[in-house]
Amino acid sequence: EVSHIPLLQIITLSGSAQKVTSFEMKGNLLTSYLAGALAVMVGIYIAGGISGAHMNPAFSFAMCLVGQFPWWKFPIFMVVQTLASFLSAGAVYILYYGMGGQHRVGEPNGGARVARLTDKLCLCPADAIWYYSNGTLTVSGPRETASIFATYPADYVSVANGFLDQVIGTGVLIVGVMGIIDIRNKAVPKGLEPVVVALLVLSIECSMGSNCGCPLNPARDIGPRLFTYVAGWGPEVFRWEKGRGQGVGGKG
C-alpha cells in the first residue's frame, strides 16, 4: 500500500540527480520537472484505488479538514510518508553515489558516515555524485550536491516570501486536486485522473519553481533532507545562506 511513495521519490530524486551529475548534458530543468510530475502519476495509478495515494502530508491534512479522511490516520500517514522519503533518498544515494572502491577526497575522516559503512561492503565503485563533486559532499558552491535531495531557496528570497511561496503553491495543488476528484465538477475521463494531476503538478513546477524549487510536499523535502544530514552533508542542510544558490528539480 505504501510502495507508491518510494517509487515517487526515487524517480523524482533520480531526475534531479541525473540533471546535476551529468552537468545538464543528460537532463535539464524540464526533464527533472517531468520526472517529478510523471512519478506522481505512476504513484496514483499504483495506490489510488487502495489508499487514495496519499503521498503528501499537506494533501492528507486537507482531506482531514474537509472530513474525507479520519484525523487519527493523519499522523500515521505523515510518519510513513516521511520515512519512505528518507529511505528513497538512500536508494538514490546508492544509485548515484556508488559504494566503495575509491578514496573520497575532502570528506571528513576519509568519507561520510554512510559512505564509510558502504565502503566496507565493497559493492561497487564510486559513481556520479562522487565524480561530479570530486568526492566532497557540500551544500553550497559550484559542485554542491545537496540540492539533488532537497530544495533550497534562491538568494533573493526572504523567509516571509519563501513561506508565502509555499503556501500559494501548495494551495494551488490541493485546490486543483480536490477539483479534479470532485464528482460534481466536469468529470475527467475515468482512468485519466492521474494524468491530469501530473499535468497540474507540472504546471505548478513550471510556473512557481524559481523561488524555492517548488517542494510542495513536506515529506518529500524533510525525509531526503534528513538523509543528507546523516549521510555526510552535515547540519548545513538545515541552514539558509545567501550565495549558496538553489537546487531546483522536479520536486512536486
Side-chain angles (χ1 to χ4, degrees), residues 37-115:
L38 294 176
V40 171
M41 179 190 71
V42 175
I44 297 173
Y45 272 123
I46 291 175
I50 302 174
S51 64
H54 286 231
M55 296 176 279
N56 188 335
F59 175 75
S60 300
F61 182 73
M63 292 297 100
C64 290
L65 288 177
V66 297
Q68 296 185 23
F69 192 68
W71 281 102
W72 69 267
K73 284 188 178 182
F74 174 67
I76 299 174
F77 270 55
M78 184 172 60
V79 170
V80 170
Q81 290 158 351
T82 303
L83 178 60
S85 299
F86 179 94
L87 297 175
S88 300
V92 174
Y93 176 92
I94 292 172
L95 178 63
Y96 276 92
Y97 192 89
M99 298 187 296
Q102 298 185 39
H103 176 63
R104 292 166 171 79
V105 180
E107 291 182 5
N109 301 319
R113 286 185 286 270
V114 173

